[in-house]
Amino acid sequence: MTRTAIVTGAARGIGAATAVQLAADGFAVAVLDLDAEACAGTVAAIEATGGRAIAVGANVADSADVASAVASVADELGAPTVLVNNAGILRDNLLFKMTDDDWDAVLGVHLRGAFLMSRAVQGYQVKEGWGRIVNLSSTSALGNRGQANYAAAKAGMQGFTKTLAIELGRYGVTANAVAPGFIQTDMTKATAERMGVSFEDFLAGAAKEIPVGRPGQPEDVAAAVSFFCSEAASFVSGQVLYVAGGPKA
Ligand code: NAP
């Protein structure tokens, strides 16, 4: 039996690597991002290895978008019982310069997005008596200069995850969070640009602070998500796994 997974923000970066990994694990995958066309590369990568995937365009922060996207996935691929809430944005600024919009946009995509997607998917999970939700937190949940909005959202993801685990466990649904450290993606590239540092220097500087001596790759995070989505992880729920090349807590 093929189960269906939805990965949000899967056009690139960690979401794309996660979609590819879950397809390799045997899931049919809905590759969801703001722009369906931007998902073509991820879908092609999955199909090239014999997997099944569709592109879905939706804004996870928009209730109507989410409802129609999840319904169309159920129609085309079958009941979505795995959900990876990965879509994310940055609007970094020191508190005194942070605008209302910086705050609302970040909380909207990460927290409201994860809430809307999880609420839409849980009906299918409960009906099937099986499900997996994995939420992307971050080491920034522990506090990070210039990221009051993002840190609040990523800490919020952890409380949200633990509550889903408590509410949905009796229906065979687990909920866990993966909290990456520094991962080499367009998101960290944009941070380097904003700071006026070359990406190479930014990566080298980050590597010096990481015990294993290298920045993380999207596949490092995808491997952790894959574990939480597996049958073997059915007794692991409400956990936060830091994937950061060293200890964080
Ligand atoms: P990324 O390369 O910027 O990719 C994020 C994806 O999410 C983009 O394709 C983006 O689409 C999409 N997205 C943004 N807003 C959306 C919305 N409202 N609805 C649907 N899709 C939306 O980011 P990443 O580095 O792979 O990060 C993925 C996740 O890991 C995020 O939650 C991030 O906070 C978290 N994380 C990343 C790091 C890191 O070091 N990279 C560390 C810790 C946690 P557009 O291209 O159209 O904007």
Side-chain angles (χ1 to χ4, degrees):
M1 170 201 172
T2 303
R3 298 190 194 274
T4 297
I6 301 177
V7 183
T8 71
R12 55 186 164 93
I14 292 168
T18 298
V20 167
Q21 178 63 57
L22 292 183
D25 293 343
F27 295 100
V29 182
V31 178
L32 186 150
D33 212 289
L34 275 173
D35 174 13
E37 282 177 23
C39 299
T42 310
V43 170
I46 290 171
E47 288 176 343
T49 54
R52 177 132 192 254
I54 58 167
V56 181
N59 175 0
V60 297
D62 183 284
S63 198
D65 257 23
V66 165
S68 69
V70 171
S72 76
V73 171
D75 278 352
E76 289 187 55
L77 294 180
T81 48
V82 173
L83 170 65
V84 182
N85 285 309
N86 167 82
I89 59 168
L90 293 179
R91 294 284 186 276
D92 293 357
N93 237 328
L94 291 175
L95 182 62
F96 77 103
K97 286 194 278 190
M98 190 170 283
T99 66
D100 295 11
D101 189 55
D102 290 335
W103 179 269
D104 291 342
V106 168
L107 275 283
V109 176
H110 295 272
L111 271 185
R112 180 179 160 85
F115 157 64
L116 292 176
M117 288 296 305
S118 303
R119 190 180 61 181
V121 160
Q122 59 79 34
Y124 295 97
Q125 296 176 318
V126 168
K127 197 161 165 237
E128 296 289 319
W130 189 91
R132 300 282 186 264
I133 296 176
V134 182
N135 295 316
L136 268 289
S137 179
S138 166
T139 50
S140 292
L142 303 168
N144 200 24
R145 184 179 166 81
Q147 291 196 317
N149 49 1
Y150 186 77
K154 291 309 198 184
M157 289 296 254
Q158 298 190 9
F160 179 64
T161 301
K162 290 173 190 184
T163 301
L164 296 187
I166 291 165
E167 289 190 15
L168 299 174
R170 72 189 62 183
Y171 305 107
V173 179
T174 67
N176 291 285
V178 175
F182 187 102
I183 310 296
Q184 189 173 345
T185 69
D186 287 348
M187 186 177 268
T188 39
K189 194 173 183 186
T191 303
E193 276 164 21
R194 201 167 40 250
M195 292 169 74
V197 186
S198 78
F199 198 31
E200 289 68 33
D201 288 351
F202 198 53
L203 291 172
K208 276 191 201 145
E209 305 297 320
I210 299 171
V212 302
R214 66 169 178 87
Q217 297 299 323
E219 292 72 20
D220 293 317
V221 182
V225 176
S226 170
F227 167 67
F228 282 136
C229 293
S230 68
E231 288 300 335
S234 63
F235 202 58
V236 181
S237 196
Q239 301 304 302
V240 180
L241 178 60
Y242 284 88
V243 178
K248 300 276 173 186

